[in-house]
Every structure is written in C-alpha cells, then in structure tokens.
Amino acid sequence: MVGPPRGSAARDRDKTIVFALPDLVGNFEPQTWIGFGDSVHVVDMVARGLTHMDFSDPVPQPAVAESWSLSPDGLTYDFSIRRGLTFHDGTPVDAQAVLRTFNRMIDSTDPTRPDMSFALENLGGANIAGFSVPWPNTFRIILKKPDAALPGRLSRPDMVIISPRTLSEKGRHIGPDLSACGPYRITSVTSNERVVLEAFDGFYAGRPATRRVVMEVIPDPLAQISALASDQLNITNSVPYSNIDRLGRMEGLRFTRPAAFITTALAMNCSARKLADLRVRQAINHGIDREAIIADAFFGKAELPGYITPKSEPGYDPSHMDLSAFDPEKASALLRDAGMMGMELTILSENNGFWMRLGQVVERSLRTIGIRATVDYLDTGTFNARAFSRTGHDACFLQRSAFFPDPDGRFSPLFATGCTVAEHMTAQTGLPDQPALDQAIAAANAEHDPTRRAARYVAMNRFMAERMLPVAAMVNTFMPVVASAGLRGIPVNALGTFRTFLEDVVVDA
Amino acid sequence: MTSGLLRRVATLPFMLLAVASLIFAIMHALPGSMIESLSAQFVSDAQRVRLMAGLGLDQPLWRQYLVYLNSLAHFDFGISAQTGKSVATMIGETLPVTMEMAGASFVVMTVCGLGAALIAVHAADGPADVAIRLLSIILSTLPWFWLGLVLIMIFSLWLGWLPSFGRLPPSIDYRPVTNFVMIDAVILGRPDLIGPWISHLVLPSLTVGLTSSGVVMRLVRSEILATMKKEFVLTARMKGIGANRIFLRHILRNAAVGIMTVLGAQFGAMLGGSVVAEVVFGYPGIGRMLVRAIESRDYLTVQGAGIAIAALYILVNFMTDLACLYANPRLRDGVWS
Amino acid sequence: MHRLTPFAMPVVLPWTILGLYLAVAILAPYIAPADPLAATGAPLSPLFGSSGILGTDGFGRDVASRLIWGLRPMLAVSFGAVFLATLAGGAYGLVAGGIGGRTDWLMMSVVDVMMSIPLILAAILVMAALGGSVINLIISVGISQIPVFARLARALASVEARKEYVLAARAVGLSRFHVLVREILPNIVRPLLVQAGSVVATAGLTAAALSYLGLGVRPPAPDIGYMVKEGQELIFIAPGQTLLPGLVLGVFALTAALCGETIGQERRR
C-alpha cells in the first residue's frame, strides 16, 4: 500500500542522518539515567567512558583509556588516559578529569553529585574501595574483591567521562548541557522533540563521517513507518515487529537482523505459596510454548533461549536449550505430581509494546497444560509497584537488555542477594541454594581467564535452572533495526539492545 | 453577570487549590510510587531507602501534602523526580506547544463549523442543510484517533504532501525562546520557521478541529434558527429592514453569545483533550508529558501540569464570558450565570 | 415526520440498527460462528476465506466472532457509563438547583473543579487506579461525564424551583425531599434523557480511546476498542484487522448519536 519514497523531504543526504527516538525527557545526566529509550541514546552519541564495547565481541576496547593493567591480586586496575584529548567545551581530558567524574559517584559530600545517583551501584557498589590518580595520566580503581567484568562495566552509558567545566558550572543539574568527549556534540535540544548533534573533530577515533545527526522523537509506529517511506527518517529501532519484513522488502529500506541480546522472562515469586514447590515452577517453565511466542508475538523476530545467558554472550552453551524446552506432557506431569493441577495463576504484564501480544500467548499455552492462567495488563507505574513487591504478585514478566555483552551484566544485578529483583520480584533469596549462587557469581567475577570464566557461567546457568528456577526464560529478541539502504556502517547489534553508536555510519553518495 | 465575573476572579485561587488537592489525592491513591519505577532499574535495597528519603516519600502523606501546598504558595512547582528539571520549565516547554495545536485546531473548527452552519441556515431544510446536519453528526462521532491515522496514510504516505510527525522538520535548527514558534520566528528573525511549522500543524489540527466542528455546526445552526424565530426579528422584518442587515445586526449579534459559549467550551476541551493526537502525531505537547509522568508516578509533574491546564481552562472560560459581555451588553444586568 | 432526523429518512432506521447491535450482543453465544478465544485457523487468514467469513486475527482467532462478542463490552460501557452519569450527575444537580443558595454555590464549585480537569486525563487516572475491566471502564467513563449532567440538572432544577407550583408545595409544608423528588424531578427528567441520548456515542468513543491507551478490557477477551489498537500496526499487512472494528465502532457511535437526536426532536415538537 505504500508507494515509492517521495523524496520530498530528502535534503542534505550526505550530511544529515535522522534517528527515531520514542521519547525525549531532555536530561542527559549520565549518572542518574532512569530509563532507556531516550536519554541513553543521546548519552551514547555524546559521551564515552574509559572503555568501549561495540557488541561484535565480548572484549572491551580502549576508549578514553588507551590501555589498562591489573595488579596480580586482581584488586587494582590502572587505566592510562589517552593524551591530547579534549572535551567538547575545550577543556583537556586528563586523569584528574576522570577522577572527578568517578568521585562524583562515590563521594556523598560532592556538591555536584546528583540526588539519585545510581552509577556506583552499577560499577560494583560496595565492592569499590576507591579511586585515585597515582601518577599523572593514570587513573586507578581499587576493588575489595576481584571483578573480571569491570572493564566491561566501564563501557556502560552511566560510566562516561563528564567535562569538569560542565560539573563546575552545572553541578547536580546537568540537564541538557552535557559536555563530554564522545563522537558528537550537542548543538540544540528541544525537549520531547529533538536533539541536534554535530560531529566532534576531537573524537579519539577521528571525526565521524556523518556531520550531523538529528535524533527526532516519533512515538507513533505508523508515523515512523511513513517517515521511513518518505525518507524523513533514516534509522530506527522502534518500529513494531509485525512490519519489519514488509519494510525490509521496500525499495530504499533495509532490515538487518541483530544478535538477540534482549531477554524476556517470566519471573516467579518463590515466596508465594503456590509457587514455592520447584515442580510447579518447572511445570510453568516447560508449559510455555516459545515457538508460538516467536510466531504470534514477535512475528519471527526472536529466538529460542537457552537460559539466562543469550547465545551472543560467553556463558551460553547449546546444551542450555533443553533447560527452556516446551514440553506440555512433562509440564502436566510435574503439575500433577505437585498436586497443583488446575491451579490459578495471575501474571502481571505491562500494557505496552509487545507485552500484550506475548501475554496472550503465555496465557493460552499455560492453560493447555492445566494452569488457569490470567494475565493482568497494567500501566507501567502500577506494574512496577506490584512486580517489585513480594506480596504484590505471584508472577510477572521481566525484560533485560545488555548494557554490555558480559554474562555478569545479568547475574549480579538480577539474581545476587541484595538486588531488588532477587529480593522482591522472585524472592529467590529465601531458597536454600541462593548462598551457593552468590558464591558462584563471586567466583566467576574473580576468574580472569576468558575460557574458564565462560565455563563458570555455563555451569551457573544450569545450576540456576535446575536447582532454583526463579525465572523461566521465554524468548530472546532484539530491537529491529530498519535503515535507509544508502547507509553503511550501522552498528546493528548495539542498536538491537538500546545502545546507539552511530559514529561509523556513512551515507553513500 | 459582571459581579459573577468578579466573583469568579476572586475564587480562582481556591479553584486551583481544589484542583491541586484533587490531583494530589488521585496520584497518591494510584498504586506504586516513583521508587518502584526507579527500582525497575534494579537498584539495591539500601538505595531504595535512600531514594525514598531523598524524594520525601518516607514522610506521612499529610506532611507531604502540606509541604507541597507550601511550595505552591511560593509559586514553586518543584523539581521533577524523573527528569531532574523544574516542573515550571517543563510546563513552559510543553504548554505552548499544546496551545499552538489547540489554537490551530480552533481555527479549523471555527471556520468549518461556522461556515457550514451559516450555509445550513440559509438553506434551512433544503438538501444542503440536511447534508450538513448529517455531516455534523458523522464528524462528531468519528473515532478521532482513527481519523488521524487515515489522514497520515493519505496525505503523508500516499500523496507525500504533508509531514506526519513533529513540529518542525529535522533539517531546521531551532532553539526555542518562548516555545511559541510563531513568536520565536519574530523574536529571532527567522521567517523560515513559519512555513514548515504550519505544514506540520495541518494534519493534527485537521484531526482535532474537524471532529470538534461537528458539534459547532449543530449548535450554531440551531442557535441561529432559534434566534430567527424571536419576536424582535419579526418586528425588524415588519419594519422592512433588509434581510442581510437583519441577519448581521440582529440575528448574529444575538446568537453570538450562544456561539461563543460553544466555541469557548470546545477550545477548553481541546487544551487537555488532545493526548492521543499528540501521541499519534509526535507533537511535543503537555498531554504526552502528562501520560509519561502518570506512568512513572512523577507526582510533582502531574500535579503541576494538571494545575496549569486547569488554570488555562478557567482562563479560557473567563475570556469567553468577557467576550459574551462585549457582544451582548444586556447580559451585564443579568444574574450570575 | 421527515423533520425527525436530519436525513429525510424514517426515524426507525437508526433505532433499528441500534436494536440490531443490542440483539447481536445479547445473542452472541448463539450467533457467533466460533469461540472468540480459540484459534480456529492460521493467523491473519483473509476475508471470505475458509477460516471464517471475516478471516482470523494475528492469533488465528475468528474475527467475526470477536467482533460479535466485542459488542458486549462496548455497549455495556457506553450505556452503563451514561446511565451512571445521568443518575449521579442528575441527582447531584437536582439537589444543588432545588436547594439553591450557598449549598448550590458550593456544590457547583465542586463541579467546576471537576470540569477544569480534562476528561481524558480524569479517565486515565481512574483507570490506572482501578485496573482494566468493564465495570471499571463504566465507572471511569461515567465519572468523566458526571459534571455535564450535574450542570444541566442544576440549571433545570433551579428554574423549576422558582416556579409557583414549587413555592406552593413548600408553603403547604411538604418536605424538601418530597419537593425535589415528587415535584421538580418529573419536570427535568426529559431534558436529562435527551442529553443522555446525545452522549452515548461520546462515552463509547472515550472508552475506545482508553482501550487505545492500553487501559481497557483485559485481553484476550474481545473488545472493539482494543481490536482497533491491536490491528493498527497491521494496517499495511492486513488492513481489515483495524478497519473492521473501526467500522463497527464508528457505525455504533453514529447510530447512537442519530437516535439521541430523535429523542431531542420529539421533545421540540
């Protein structure tokens, strides 16, 4: 039904690319960002941290740090800072500037520290013993326990280095005025509307090929599709899955399938009486028809999961596929064994995105094995209130994308004792095997050899699935990336998991 | 009515206080708080406690209410917990956008509604009248979120004539001063803003304006017809005054009060009622901000924006009444409406 | 007779269509060709194909059956909400206008406050607080319409309250309640009903808009408003998925408005 692109809006094609944002709050404070989908896209374009991961492999690359070394005891990281860099505002990037950014996370007396700083927690929380500059041009992080994932964590969007001048001038309220040393600098911001970015000559990897990037808010999917078709929009990762194949076939557009870094799971409250029996949780796990979810809810744009770790990260093993296999007979048998045939189960879901389709498939498939499942679709605020309360739910949906492609990105923040998901959503901390899991997570982070570390996560996936099962993996998916056919160098994998690194995108003449 | 207007001005602060209290009550009755929305980012338990205290949510509700009223009394809407920006700034960014869209929709509604009504009156009970009456009912019963999509499909996708989203094209660099594009175009000396701005306004204002014009057509038509039957019109006719003169001087003038009341009420409804249109057309207005703030339980933003919309609504009603007074001075002796 | 509707068409036409809607909704279990919740064919089967006359939706469910069953929540919410609003708003306005004085002023100030909060915002807040179900939709849409009825009833009642027969009744010593309910109420019922007739369509559209925002009836239960939304992203792939429920909704709103119109016209006669 869509005609050929009408070039009416084609302009400056060799200079400008337009990227679609679902929303834009207009506050680019990296250390408190409280949701992706808007500001994180901008932070990714404007700022960079000590390391960078582009989601093509699990190895952190040098960024603001040109190299780093680790002490033999595994507790001290020394990062040597690239020489000659400046921030967008012209101030030099040096170890003192890096220190100032990091001290802002840990020092509660720092007047520039924002009210709701999350960054330290995401870097390791209590495991961070301190930051220092032992000698010029070197920034040091001291840990209490070894953490092999630390260089990866430093590529998170909340670890980016902020210009000291911005901190002095803006203090706790950076708002739209973020000056950093990423590939693009902000030229104008209109909240809820757009951010205009301009290539930064002083970027450490050289000035980006495309001079101007406009990040434009287009919340409605149909408006996005019409904008793509008329060449008013060049890259998006937020059109509905149902339209991807059709858009990909259109002249002038291209869909590239990213690696599936986004996990969707069914979190089960282990402290709820009806779910306390492992067999019931296993029955639910084997009663979810994942093939149907992929076909009906994702229109084929998803894949079967192993367990927690997706295929694209170390720690996945093909043998994991059995852990999340759909097996209705086995599920019914487990349910009968547990004496819970015909049990009722209410699952909480958000009322947006793919959730309402996914919920209908899960409800249908659980009903066929003998669970009278109902999915409650709630607005985000109500969903969060009940999902993060042990008494507010029996089961709920959970989504996790990768901020950096390391297996610990899912284990420590979701399943270790002390984090909100493990304490309140799955309540797995009451399970007898939780101490063993905590130890396994710590041991894996103490392991620096990549092969042996991956093997630990392979075992940990299996251990959690077989002994604990606080969540049932449903499917792994990605944000579908649709772009103008004339663009090259699109970082598909990163865009598929909410990370936006457009510095290598080139517009063909 | 004059005394009624004065009384209305005097009660304005109390009205706003009541609106603020009502929204405060509803927001805090909703399940969940900002903390759970933040928890979705998987923070630790210890951090949760710290956050509660930071947002003042550990205080008893009555104290939170008093703190809020106190800051309102100092014209301080507070800082949004979600965006880290002052709520006043956020309103300043989004309300003008909504007002622009409501204004444009108002123009569409008035032109279509009044135009059609006048045609209908002149052809009373003829085929044109019947057609317009039917059209008015169809327009007012069109699912308007639906009309928006149809318009996008026709004018953006098939014909490629008009942009389907946003307020200005991405090719234009625009740094808002007042957030009213029209005013900024003058202040900044940027006439190049105006054309694209209007072309982006066409589809949203057609969607909202057309669906509202149905009511206007119907009410204005019956208002004028009713006035035409009144005695003073008959008297004028018997005096031999020309038909056009009667229509302009006597009928329209007397029907004006009713017409303006209808238009004012519709405009008031547009200010807060275009949430879905803002989502469909990606228009950066206050409705979209409100929906987002409700979902994340950003109390201060919802309360502040609610008060702002209510204040504007009350202002529009007030202006409508003033306009009615001007049009028909006899009302000045009347009782409080 | 031709003056009854704007079209020179018999007044019976909209009423017949409305009656048909009601009959289909009530008889849904007997009329619907298939179970609206069960997959009966391949997803997105075409119209007039082997699996159902209107094809199937993205989950392979029969569209015709879902449309038929979906009439139930749509009609229940439209009429239920208007009933609630007429009853509550009418009673409120009757008391305010009938009593008059300071009570009237205070009660109508409350209505003014309610009026100044946008309808859809009020409905969104109430739905978020209550959760999605037919009853909650009725409450939410109903509440958003109460001020309109309260104002109308108050205006009518205060006019009546000054008329001689009311003054006489009060002079005789009849109780306030008696005067309100027995004397004033019968004289204002008709205009209230006319108003009710004219907002049924509005209520239906508001409910659909709430479903559109994800705050409506809980799927997989069939609901016209949610079908419009769910089908919308498929408009280029299977346009019927959103056009058909949109048509059902639009025709309902139109006939409801036309029927409302006929009530008003009869009064004028």
Side-chain angles (χ1 to χ4, degrees), chain C residues 76-82 84-85 119-120 122-124 126-127 130 133-147 149 199-211 215:
Chain C
V77 172
S78 305
F79 289 108
V82 171
L84 175 74
L119 286 188
I120 189 88
I124 290 173
V126 175
M127 283 313 286
L130 298 177
S133 77
V134 173
I135 297 291
N136 293 345
L137 271 175
I138 291 176
I139 295 174
S140 155
V141 177
I143 287 180
S144 69
Q145 293 288 345
I146 283 181
F149 285 92
V199 297
V200 168
T202 317
L205 292 174
T206 310
L210 284 173
S211 289
L215 295 164

Side-chain angles (χ1 to χ4, degrees), chain B:
Chain B
M1 190 154 171
T2 320
S3 67
L5 282 180
L6 286 176
R7 198 175 335 176
R8 200 96 68 81
V9 176
T11 54
L12 187 68
F14 298 99
M15 287 278 291
L16 291 181
L17 175 72
V19 170
S21 308
L22 191 61
I23 298 181
F24 181 92
I26 302 176
M27 276 311 286
H28 285 266
L30 290 186
S33 71
M34 191 79 199
I35 297 303
E36 282 87 5
S37 299
L38 295 172
S39 298
Q41 298 308 313
F42 314 116
V43 299
S44 73
D45 263 15
Q47 211 157 7
R48 257 166 93 113
V49 176
R50 210 161 54 80
L51 288 173
M52 290 280 279
L55 290 173
L57 296 176
D58 54 342
Q59 303 281 323
L61 203 56
W62 61 268
R63 183 167 291 168
Q64 292 181 42
Y65 179 63
L66 290 184
V67 167
Y68 182 63
L69 288 191
N70 184 43
S71 61
L72 273 191
H74 296 89
F75 297 100
D76 176 11
F77 285 115
I79 303 275
S80 154
Q82 188 190 26
T83 68
K85 293 201 283 191
S86 96
V87 174
T89 309
M90 291 165 66
I91 296 172
E93 285 168 353
T94 53
L95 195 57
V97 179
T98 299
M99 287 167 74
E100 278 176 3
M101 192 162 116
S105 310
F106 182 79
V107 171
V108 172
M109 174 186 82
T110 310
V111 170
C112 297
L114 283 187
L118 290 179
I119 294 173
V121 165
H122 272 276
D125 285 324
D129 182 28
V130 171
I132 284 171
R133 283 155 74 191
L134 188 67
L135 179 72
S136 78
I137 296 183
I138 293 178
L139 283 178
S140 58
T141 56
L142 267 184
W144 42 281
F145 47 90
W146 177 237
L147 178 65
L149 297 170
V150 173
L151 289 179
I152 288 184
M153 281 184 55
I154 297 175
F155 290 103
S156 309
L157 220 45
W158 292 347
L159 300 174
W161 289 351
L162 290 166
S164 56
F165 64 89
R167 182 159 72 139
L168 285 170
S171 57
I172 287 186
D173 277 324
Y174 165 53
R175 279 171 228 234
V177 179
T178 61
N179 275 298
F180 288 98
V181 176
M182 197 67 182
I183 298 176
D184 284 357
V186 175
I187 295 178
L188 301 170
R190 293 273 307 268
D192 61 308
L193 291 175
I194 297 174
W197 172 68
I198 291 177
S199 73
H200 279 75
L201 261 177
V202 172
L203 290 187
S205 57
L206 273 182
T207 306
V208 180
L210 279 182
T211 47
S212 325
S213 68
V215 180
V216 176
M217 285 177 202
R218 198 145 30 123
L219 293 180
V220 169
R221 175 188 168 279
S222 55
E223 185 74 34
I224 295 179
L225 285 179
T227 315
M228 283 168 103
K229 293 199 185 92
K230 292 215 167 125
E231 265 175 41
F232 67 89
V233 177
L234 298 175
T235 319
R237 217 163 259 162
M238 279 189 287
K239 278 186 196 158
I241 302 174
N244 282 339
R245 195 177 148 88
I246 292 183
F247 192 76
L248 288 175
R249 292 279 317 253
H250 296 269
I251 300 176
L252 261 194
R253 180 140 196 190
N254 277 281
V257 172
I259 294 172
M260 280 192 287
T261 311
V262 173
L263 292 178
Q266 290 292 104
F267 185 64
M270 280 173 185
L271 286 174
S274 45
V275 177
V276 181
E278 286 177 13
V279 173
V280 169
F281 291 101
Y283 229 71
I286 202 166
R288 238 174 66 205
M289 180 181 92
L290 259 174
V291 171
R292 182 179 64 208
I294 292 173
E295 287 194 336
S296 54
R297 302 291 185 263
D298 189 353
Y299 297 132
L300 294 181
T301 305
V302 178
Q303 285 156 200
I307 293 171
I309 293 179
L312 201 59
Y313 177 88
I314 294 170
L315 187 73
V316 167
N317 276 346
F318 186 71
M319 306 273 275
T320 310
D321 289 347
L322 275 186
C324 290
L325 268 186
Y326 176 77
N328 192 345
R330 264 176 300 167
L331 279 176
R332 283 174 206 165
D333 318 322
V335 288
W336 174 53
S337 62

Side-chain angles (χ1 to χ4, degrees), chain C residues 223-261:
Chain C
D223 173 66
I224 303 284
Y226 181 65
M227 286 174 81
V228 173
K229 176 205 163 83
E230 197 178 46
Q232 192 175 295
E233 63 172 67
L234 301 170
I235 188 147
F236 303 116
I237 298 154
Q241 296 295 320
T242 183
L243 291 178
L244 286 172
L247 194 68
V248 171
L249 174 67
V251 170
F252 167 69
L254 184 59
T255 42
L258 285 171
C259 292
E261 192 89 339

